[in-house]
């Protein structure tokens, strides 16, 4: 049983993709709800630096940043692929976090009473058991992706026996419109030898033994899947959308003037483009997208990772009806009435924010759960389209833009996303389900566990 006097929680973040950001947002909100609790937030130095600076100067006596090693071998030359960095990070990650947690306890002069971690970190189950403290696991993606990891064995068996990647997964509730080929590759890969699939495989088996599993989602979406998860995971709590629940409380930083630029456009006329935190589609696809935008003349706002000057045609950069920025206040951009379509990689946060803004999506997924998210938006919720052949070609983009912005089909998508939009906002209200679940979480992490 955890020491009754301890009000110190250690938070173990995953340093890649958009994982640490929403987790720090959650911690910040928890800290407001329980001001007597102190948090140590553990991630790599690089991840902590960017996450803490993005949230503004929130490191204070109550939320302390602790840097852990990134696992890179000495002399490693940076510039490697994200996948390589992740593999190095995963090697020995449990030990590094163990030391980090000990260091946090020392630094704060107070033992740890609870561990909150990214749901990926299955090893925290054992840590929590040894420390006799609760483990709260935070799943930063959607319910459908979570279920595929819990049911990884069943899915693997199905793939082995059916042999086809094109068949729908109709034996899983809510998956009759989803094919094996749409699932995260870590779930369908045959070999569990490589580090990340093996890591996620273990997660699927350990998560049901957490004290509580949180998800960055809202209860009203995918109800059949949600109720299944509810029956299989302890204290399963929808506390999302975190970017809206937490981010909206601080004014957006709009260094490149995206919002005033959008003010000058009529409703549903602009296409917003972002592929998340990485440079994801290859250059020739970005060029195809640029060609389609040039030809269509549709006003666009493009949050471009990397060097736009070197990568995009001059004509596009100088096109009066477009704006290219290195970063946009995406949550607010998608809520702006002038945005009518979102070209996205289908990262979970982007999907939630698109729903929050009532904007239909055009999906160009890259990896992980993104294909599943895009297919769900298209085939299950009817609020998006994917591109012909799964990649961007000039004609494919033009077709998708026409569908979303200029057809009856697009109108229907807008209606459907409008219904979800109302539900997501309701969940996030102070009396909504996500806010109630959040209060329950605050109780869980601050109250005695043995009752
Ligand atoms: N984002 C943003 N401005 C940008 C690009 C991205 O604020 O110009 C934010 C976006 O709002 C979302 C996150 O970055 O919250 C991207 O998360 P997502 O899960 O969609 O993708 P990932 O980066 O993890 O692939």
């Amino acid at each position: 049983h955890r020491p009754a006097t301890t009000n110190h929680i250690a938070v173990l973040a995953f340093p890649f993709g958009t994982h640490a950001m929403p987790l720090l947002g959650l911690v910040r909100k928890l800290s407001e709800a329980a001001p007597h609790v102190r948090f140590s937030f553990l991630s790599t130095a690089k991840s902590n630096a960017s996450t803490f600076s993005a949230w503004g100067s929130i490191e204070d006596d109550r939320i302390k940043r602790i840097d852990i090693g990134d696992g890179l071998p000495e002399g490693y030359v940076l510039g490697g692929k994200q996948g390589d960095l992740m593999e190095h990070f995963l090697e020995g990650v449990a030990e590094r976090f163990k030391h980090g947690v000990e260091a946090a306890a020392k630094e704060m002069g107070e033992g740890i009473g609870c561990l909150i971690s990214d749901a990926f970190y299955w090893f925290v189950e054992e840590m929590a058991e040894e420390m006799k403290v609760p483990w709260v696991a935070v799943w930063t993606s959607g319910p459908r992706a979570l279920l595929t990891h819990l049911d990884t064995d069943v899915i693997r068996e199905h793939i082995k026996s059916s042999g086809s990647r094109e068949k729908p997964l109709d034996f899983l509730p809510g998956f009759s419109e989803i094919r094996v080929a749409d699932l995260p590759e870590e779930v369908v890969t045959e070999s569990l030898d490589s580090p990340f699939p093996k890591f996620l495989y273990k997660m699927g088996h350990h998560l049901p033994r957490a004290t509580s599993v949180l998800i960055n989602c809202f209860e009203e979406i995918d109800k059949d899947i949600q109720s299944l998860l509810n029956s299989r995971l302890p204290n399963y709590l929808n506390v999302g959308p975190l970017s809206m629940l937490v981010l909206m409380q601080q004014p957006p930083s709009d260094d490149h003037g995206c919002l005033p630029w959008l003010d000058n456009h009529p409703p549903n006329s602009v296409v917003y483009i972002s592929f998340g935190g990485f440079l994801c589609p290859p250059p020739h696809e970005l060029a195809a997208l640029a060609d389609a935008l040039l030809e269509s003349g549709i006003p666009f706002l493009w949050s471009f990772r990397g060097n736009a000057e070197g990568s995009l045609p001059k004509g596009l950069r100088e096109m009066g009806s477009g704006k290219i920025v290195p970063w946009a206040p995406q949550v607010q951009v998608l809520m702006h009435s002038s945005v009518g379509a979102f070209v996205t990689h289908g990262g979970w946060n982007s999907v939630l924010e698109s729903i929050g803004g009532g904007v239909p999506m055009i999906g160009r997924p890259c990896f992980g759960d993104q294909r599943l998210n895009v297919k769900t938006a298209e085939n299950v919720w009817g609020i998006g389209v994917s591109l012909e052949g799964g990649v961007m070609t000039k004609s494919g983009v033009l077709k998708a833009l026409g569908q979303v912005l200029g057809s009856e089909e697009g109108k229907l998508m807008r209606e459907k996303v409008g219904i979800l939009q109302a539900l997501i906002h309701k969940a996030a209200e102070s009396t909504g389900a996500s806010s109630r679940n959040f209060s329950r979480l605050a109780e869980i992490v601050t109250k005695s566990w043995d009752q």
Side-chain angles (χ1 to χ4, degrees):
H1 308 284
R2 69 171 160 184
T5 49
T6 293
N7 282 312
H8 178 195
I9 296 177
V11 185
L12 284 58
F14 186 70
F16 302 100
T18 307
H19 277 246
M21 268 287 272
L23 189 60
L24 185 56
L26 181 93
V27 166
R28 190 168 121 132
K29 202 166 155 62
L30 261 179
S31 165
E32 279 164 15
H36 60 291
V37 174
R38 293 190 301 164
F39 296 86
S40 289
F41 194 90
L42 288 77
S43 193
T44 59
K46 188 168 174 228
S47 150
N48 268 341
S50 69
T51 315
F52 275 84
S53 78
W55 278 109
S57 55
I58 65 160
E59 195 195 9
D60 51 28
D61 291 347
R62 299 199 328 229
I63 305 177
K64 192 100 202 122
R65 161 187 166 174
I66 305 273
D67 296 344
I68 64 149
D70 52 19
L72 292 178
E74 222 158 290
Y76 183 87
V77 183
L78 277 177
K81 281 193 282 181
Q82 184 86 358
D84 295 345
L85 295 178
M86 203 157 85
E87 287 195 3
H88 284 300
F89 176 74
L90 293 180
E91 176 91 37
V93 64
E95 282 68 36
R96 293 204 303 285
F97 268 118
K98 228 177 227 171
H99 291 143
V101 166
E102 283 162 14
K106 224 184 213 165
E107 197 162 314
M108 285 278 206
E110 189 175 7
I112 308 286
C114 175
L115 292 169
I116 299 180
S117 83
D118 193 289
F120 283 0
Y121 295 153
W122 51 270
F123 57 83
V124 180
E125 185 198 348
E126 201 182 295
M127 268 173 87
E129 227 169 70
E130 271 172 22
M131 294 166 72
K132 301 203 178 345
V133 299
W135 169 34
V136 175
V138 184
W139 178 251
T140 56
S141 181
R144 207 172 289 265
L146 177 54
L147 188 63
T148 66
H149 291 289
L150 293 184
D151 272 338
T152 177
D153 285 321
V154 187
I155 293 172
R156 281 164 190 281
E157 271 312 308
H158 169 84
I159 297 172
K160 252 194 231 156
S161 60
S162 85
S164 163
R165 289 172 62 86
E166 296 307 314
K167 284 206 185 130
L169 293 150
D170 37 21
F171 61 96
L172 281 180
F175 277 74
S176 56
E177 306 294 330
I178 305 289
R179 303 161 309 154
V180 171
D182 302 325
L183 298 182
E185 53 266 38
E186 294 80 13
V187 176
V188 297
T189 176
E190 232 173 86
S191 152
L192 285 173
D193 293 340
S194 35
F196 196 45
K198 191 154 90 191
F199 207 77
L200 293 184
Y201 182 80
K202 287 189 178 168
M203 173 193 74
H205 289 85
H206 285 257
L207 267 188
R209 295 194 288 275
T211 312
S212 172
V213 177
L214 311 185
I215 184 163
N216 182 12
C217 192
F218 58 110
E219 289 175 356
E220 294 289 326
I221 202 163
D222 287 337
K223 278 189 169 171
D224 41 358
I225 294 177
Q226 296 278 26
S227 74
L228 198 59
L229 290 170
N230 202 22
S231 68
R232 291 174 54 180
L233 294 170
N235 292 307
Y236 173 68
L237 299 172
N238 277 260
V239 291
L242 287 170
S243 51
M244 282 163 61
L245 265 162
V246 195
L247 246 184
M248 296 297 283
Q249 292 171 2
Q250 65 187 30
S253 92
D254 184 14
D255 300 340
H256 306 283
C258 299
L259 300 173
W261 183 84
L262 289 172
D263 286 343
N264 289 326
H265 290 83
N268 297 330
S269 64
V270 174
V271 51
Y272 170 62
I273 303 156
S274 169
F275 301 105
F278 311 107
L279 195 61
C280 113
H284 69 275
E285 283 192 55
L286 298 179
L289 171 57
D291 285 348
L293 292 169
L294 263 171
E295 181 158 318
S296 72
I298 295 172
F300 67 89
L301 174 63
W302 191 338
S303 169
F304 192 87
R305 296 289 84 69
N307 171 14
E309 298 236 329
S311 317
L312 293 178
K314 200 162 172 244
L316 187 82
R317 285 184 280 119
E318 288 171 359
M319 194 171 139
S321 58
K323 187 170 173 70
I324 301 167
V325 296
W327 192 254
Q330 181 166 303
V331 175
Q332 286 78 8
V333 163
L334 286 165
M335 282 193 186
H336 197 287
S337 60
S338 70
V339 175
F342 179 18
V343 178
T344 172
H345 67 316
W348 183 246
N349 291 290
S350 293
V351 170
L352 287 177
E353 291 159 15
S354 205
I355 293 175
V359 179
M361 285 163 266
I362 296 171
R364 180 6 183 137
C366 295
F367 51 78
D369 61 336
Q370 295 160 7
R371 255 188 331 259
L372 179 57
N373 298 338
V374 166
K375 279 291 166 194
T376 302
E378 181 178 25
N379 293 351
V380 184
W381 306 327
I383 61 169
V385 290
S386 45
L387 291 150
E388 275 172 354
V391 292
M392 293 188 289
T393 57
K394 182 178 164 189
S395 62
V397 172
L398 283 171
K399 185 173 163 203
L401 285 171
Q403 265 173 299
V404 173
L405 290 173
S407 78
E408 278 304 307
E409 201 185 338
K411 226 165 125 190
L412 195 61
M413 283 183 216
R414 204 156 293 116
E415 268 168 41
K416 287 188 175 167
V417 74
I419 295 170
L420 291 178
Q421 182 189 25
L423 294 172
I424 208 171
H425 284 277
K426 192 155 175 251
E429 277 171 12
S430 58
T431 53
S434 289
S435 303
R436 278 201 308 277
N437 288 337
F438 191 84
S439 305
R440 168 90 187 104
L441 166 68
E443 259 169 45
I444 288 177
V445 299
T446 55
K447 282 208 178 126
S448 170
W449 278 90
D450 37 4
Q451 356 173 317

